[in-house]
Amino acid sequence: MHLPYLSAERAMRANAAPRDAPFALIEKVGGAMRVAATDPSAHALGIVPGLTLADARARIPGLAAIDHDPAADRALLEELADGCDRYSPTVATDPPRGIVIDIVGCLHPFGDDALGETGLAADLRRRFERRGLSPTTAFAATPDAALALATFGGNIVMALPVTALRVDGEIHRALRRAGLRTLDALAKRPRAPLAARFGMATTEALDRLLDRAVPIAPRRHPPEFAVETRFAEPIVQTDAVLATLDELMRRAAAMLAERARGGRRFEAALFRSDGHVARLGIDTGQPTRDAGILARLFRERLDTLADPLDPGFGYDLIRLAVPVTEPLAAEQLMLGGGAVAEAELAALIDRLTIRLGRGRVRRFRAGDSHIPEQAAFDLPITDVAPPVAWDPPEPGEPPLRPLHLFDPPQPIEAIAEVPDGPPFRFRWRRVLHEVRRAEGPERIAAEWWRHHRDAGLTRDYYRVEDQAGRRFWVFRNGLYGVERGVPDWYLHGLFA
């Protein structure tokens, strides 16, 4: 699909441009104001992009000029591509004015293959024209060919001009000077001389246009499982939306059960008849396919929305996708009820995540590193845990690591009895601490195998207790006389 007047039509929708007079959108290029886009009437009078504003007004005195806003155009293009998800899960934008849709296997809502393409194009144009946009559409076996036909018109790729090639403008001029004005004339020439004279980019663009279907990069990865319901008449009641979601979740649960899978993320897309798409997503701490639990979570999600759903003129399509799944086999309940307790905890975590936000409920994970500040980190509780276990503490021994770590470690002034011994006095935050007990050192070397340069210095850690009973975790940074002349001291953590 190509939107030749996207910028102008966006400006008219925003009431920023006149509707009964020609106008141009301008931008500053190289110190001069030039035309970036026009409305259909100005284009019909010979105003084209690249023309200076002075030359344009020489042709049309009093031509209205409006500042071009490429960011707003891109946002509108993304919004339109969202609405095109109703036709296929594989949709890509081709800025500044194109959208590509892979419709292979997606024509069943519009009839058989012949009528399906026609019906899809008619439905798409009707929805866009309702929003004040005038798209041109085309179908082809490759994305580049479809875009070229939509942009330049016609039904035959070979009849298109060489400007349909997605190459630099200098190559277009060189091809025309060589007498090659159509793709048919270009395709009849041997590839090797063409590449030698006009570059490999020319032959590669020609191959993509004619017969080499390069997969498009979709805006969203197609989910493994997806179910949807279309409505002959749009629905507006929230109860009807929830009832539809409940039915979709039961259908998705049946599909997941057939493959012994469970979902970790569920996404609902509500397609409004005017093209707007509302998206709701929930994450679960454990894989699940329980439709009842999912229904409660979606209701929680709706209750926590800052802006309630606005059905407008109604939703004519609701889709439920399961983009993240994991194996989930049937489980035997334990006599002690441990599985039930784990399920209740998982349900509580899911409800808190929905109410507070995915990144608000977190848990600590063990990291694959012996460096203290890298040995543990926190991440959302619904994320998959890395396969690293915590080191079990020795029974009857005090903890090796403090509950509170400073990031970065706090510098201190310390005095030791011997250069490589524990400190007997240190000053931290202007307070002097006399050390009564000390235990160590625990030597931690730098991870030289991960960092070839500037891997860090060796650290000697001590657990110390001052005269007031406060316990600290301090370290000397660098070996005395080997790595550093006079090593620095740092406070890394506080014990309870």
Side-chain angles (χ1 to χ4, degrees):
M1 179 176 60
H2 179 63
L3 295 153
Y5 302 109
L6 175 70
S7 301
E9 290 166 344
R10 178 194 57 77
M12 287 189 288
R13 290 178 59 208
N15 295 321
R19 294 179 177 271
D20 53 355
F23 66 91
L25 292 97
I26 60 170
E27 61 183 354
K28 191 172 183 179
V29 180
M33 302 304 296
R34 294 186 178 273
V35 175
T38 66
D39 74 319
S41 58
H43 185 267
L45 293 173
I47 307 302
V48 295
L51 198 67
T52 63
L53 179 59
D55 290 341
R57 282 179 169 163
R59 300 182 184 186
I60 306 178
L63 176 70
I66 303 166
D67 289 336
H68 185 217
D69 189 351
D73 289 351
R74 181 60 186 263
L76 177 58
L77 190 67
E78 293 287 342
E79 180 185 344
L80 297 173
D82 274 344
C84 291
D85 284 348
R86 69 169 58 244
Y87 304 111
S88 167
T90 309
V91 179
T93 58
D94 184 64
R97 290 179 292 275
I99 296 176
V100 187
I101 309 173
D102 186 349
I103 61 170
V104 174
C106 299
L107 295 177
H108 59 279
F110 304 96
D112 57 38
D113 286 349
L115 293 177
E117 291 184 0
T118 304
L120 188 150
D123 184 75
L124 188 150
R125 285 194 296 269
R126 182 176 66 254
R127 293 179 185 277
F128 276 59
E129 288 169 358
R130 194 182 301 162
R131 303 183 65 174
L133 303 171
S134 52
T136 58
T137 59
F139 297 89
T142 69
D144 284 45
L147 281 169
L149 289 173
T151 304
F152 293 90
N155 299 314
I156 302 175
V157 175
M158 287 299 190
L160 295 178
V162 291
T163 50
L165 286 177
R166 301 170 74 87
V167 293
D168 187 78
E170 291 292 335
I171 297 178
H172 291 158
R173 286 188 284 272
L175 289 171
R176 289 196 298 270
R177 285 197 297 267
L180 302 172
R181 299 185 177 279
T182 65
L183 294 180
D184 181 58
L186 192 62
K188 292 178 180 178
R189 298 299 179 98
R191 292 290 193 271
L194 281 178
R197 183 172 180 182
F198 302 104
M200 288 293 297
T202 302
T203 55
E204 290 178 357
L206 184 62
D207 290 340
R208 290 197 306 271
L209 195 62
L210 299 182
D211 52 14
R212 193 176 74 189
V214 179
I216 66 176
R219 303 167 64 248
R220 294 182 177 85
H221 186 72
E224 184 177 359
F225 298 91
V227 290
E228 64 181 38
T229 296
R230 296 174 182 267
F231 304 97
E233 293 293 334
I235 60 174
V236 296
Q237 293 85 4
T238 303
D239 291 342
V241 172
L242 291 174
T244 303
L245 285 176
D246 290 348
E247 174 60 26
L248 291 177
M249 282 181 278
R250 285 192 288 270
R251 289 166 53 186
M255 296 172 60
L256 291 168
E258 290 178 359
R259 303 191 189 182
R261 306 286 292 182
R264 288 291 307 276
R265 179 165 179 80
F266 298 81
E267 296 178 348
L270 286 68
F271 293 82
R272 220 162 58 184
S273 57
D274 62 356
H276 179 269
V277 183
R279 299 184 185 275
L280 302 173
I282 60 172
D283 297 275
T284 60
Q286 295 180 354
T288 183
R289 52 176 179 260
D290 190 319
I293 292 177
L294 296 174
R296 289 196 298 271
L297 292 177
F298 266 110
R299 282 174 168 77
E300 292 272 1
R301 183 73 180 89
L302 285 171
D303 292 340
T304 59
L305 290 178
D307 296 325
L309 289 178
D310 179 14
F313 293 103
Y315 302 110
D316 57 1
L317 169 63
I318 298 179
R319 178 181 297 149
L320 178 67
V322 192
V324 181
T325 65
E326 291 181 7
L328 179 62
E331 293 185 354
Q332 175 67 44
L333 292 178
M334 295 183 292
L335 293 178
V340 175
E342 292 179 2
E344 291 178 350
L345 176 61
L348 173 62
I349 290 173
D350 294 340
R351 290 197 301 272
L352 291 175
T353 301
I354 293 298
R355 292 182 182 182
L356 304 178
R358 182 176 180 274
R360 298 294 183 87
V361 185
R362 311 178 72 84
R363 70 167 54 159
F364 276 107
R365 307 287 194 188
D368 186 15
S369 175
H370 66 270
I371 303 299
E373 59 267 29
Q374 299 175 10
F377 56 95
D378 69 307
L379 71 165
I381 199 168
T382 55
D383 284 3
V384 179
V388 179
W390 294 106
D391 293 330
E394 297 183 12
E397 292 293 326
L400 295 176
R401 297 292 182 265
L403 292 177
H404 179 82
L405 283 181
F406 291 106
D407 184 20
Q410 302 286 307
I412 60 175
E413 300 174 5
I415 300 176
E417 294 182 355
V418 293
D420 55 355
F424 66 86
R425 181 185 298 118
F426 67 91
R427 187 183 301 276
W428 175 52
R429 294 180 178 176
R430 301 182 182 181
V431 177
L432 184 64
H433 299 269
E434 298 285 346
V435 177
R436 184 172 61 178
R437 294 186 179 90
E439 184 179 14
E442 176 189 357
R443 180 161 292 177
I444 298 179
E447 295 181 337
W448 51 267
W449 61 91
R450 293 186 178 181
H451 309 282
H452 299 288
R453 296 181 179 178
D454 193 22
L457 303 175
T458 303
R459 301 177 184 179
D460 281 345
Y461 278 88
Y462 295 90
R463 291 181 291 182
V464 300
E465 180 181 319
D466 67 3
Q467 292 181 345
R470 294 183 290 261
R471 297 175 180 176
F472 307 89
W473 202 38
V474 300
F475 70 89
R476 180 176 46 247
N477 192 35
L479 298 178
Y480 181 82
V482 178
E483 296 178 342
R484 299 286 298 272
V486 179
D488 298 324
W489 284 86
Y490 292 89
L491 173 66
H492 203 164
L494 303 175
F495 291 95

